[in-house]
Amino acid sequence: MTDTTQRNRPDNPDKGSPGAEGKKTSVTKRGGGDPSSRGRTTIADGVVEKIAGLAARDVVGVHAMGSGLSRTFGAVRDRVPGGAKSVSRGVKVEVGEVQTALDLEIVVEYGVSIADVARAVRENVVSAVERMTGLEVVEVNIAVSDVKLPDEEEEEQEPRLQ
């Protein structure tokens, strides 16, 4: 009897003990591949519009974004309690799965080179959108809708009530 018991015993005492399974050296991966490539990320148009709007406003020489009408409505909307300032005013985007195209409408300060401002806006917007979203920016179309003259009153000032 003793002989049979000795032959059935494992040579390594840890092998047969409960919990020895956790000490295996090989790891089995589930799902395969890099975890960052599992699933899909979608970016809403509004996200890209906000990024582009903020990046365009950062450029020296850009006075405002949007046409006169949209700025007027925006000024009214900004005065409504609880209304937030629209950073995407003057920005339209088309977002695909890997690419995006943007249309910007800007108002420039009087005296600046419009070509230089447009180039700087384009560079800043492309850089910000590509860095933050990973999307390839295929085009940034810029329409200059107005020039802010030094003696013009601000459209978005508070109304003077007596």
Side-chain angles (χ1 to χ4, degrees):
M1 276 205 253
T2 309
D3 191 31
T4 309
T5 308
Q6 288 295 331
R7 277 187 286 180
N8 290 337
R9 251 190 217 159
D11 293 335
N12 185 347
D14 284 343
K15 260 188 185 174
S17 65
E21 292 83 22
K23 296 181 182 180
K24 291 182 181 177
T25 56
S26 65
V27 177
T28 306
K29 286 188 176 181
R30 294 179 187 215
D34 182 24
S36 65
S37 66
R38 297 179 198 172
R40 205 172 104 175
T41 302
T42 56
I43 299 171
D45 292 4
V47 172
V48 178
E49 286 175 351
K50 285 181 180 182
I51 293 168
L54 289 171
R57 282 177 175 79
D58 283 345
V59 175
V60 174
V62 174
H63 174 72
M65 301 283 296
S67 66
L69 185 60
S70 72
R71 286 181 305 171
T72 302
F73 283 131
V76 171
R77 187 175 47 243
D78 292 345
R79 289 188 186 107
V80 174
K85 191 166 189 159
S86 175
V87 295
S88 59
R89 182 183 311 146
V91 182
K92 292 186 178 73
V93 302
E94 292 179 26
V95 179
E97 288 190 27
V98 294
Q99 295 179 327
T100 186
L102 299 98
D103 295 323
L104 305 176
E105 191 170 358
I106 65 173
V107 176
V108 298
E109 299 281 345
Y110 177 79
V112 299
S113 167
I114 293 174
D116 290 345
V117 170
R119 181 184 38 75
V121 167
R122 200 170 274 116
E123 288 173 358
N124 208 31
V125 167
V126 167
S127 174
V129 170
E130 287 184 347
R131 178 178 47 82
M132 292 180 72
T133 66
L135 295 168
E136 177 190 4
V137 177
V138 292
E139 66 180 3
V140 178
N141 300 312
I142 298 174
V144 178
S145 62
D146 201 359
V147 174
K148 166 67 171 81
L149 300 175
D151 58 345
E152 285 181 340
E153 283 189 31
E154 287 289 322
E155 293 174 355
E156 297 181 12
Q157 284 183 347
E158 292 295 319
R160 296 180 189 158
L161 297 176
Q162 301 273 340

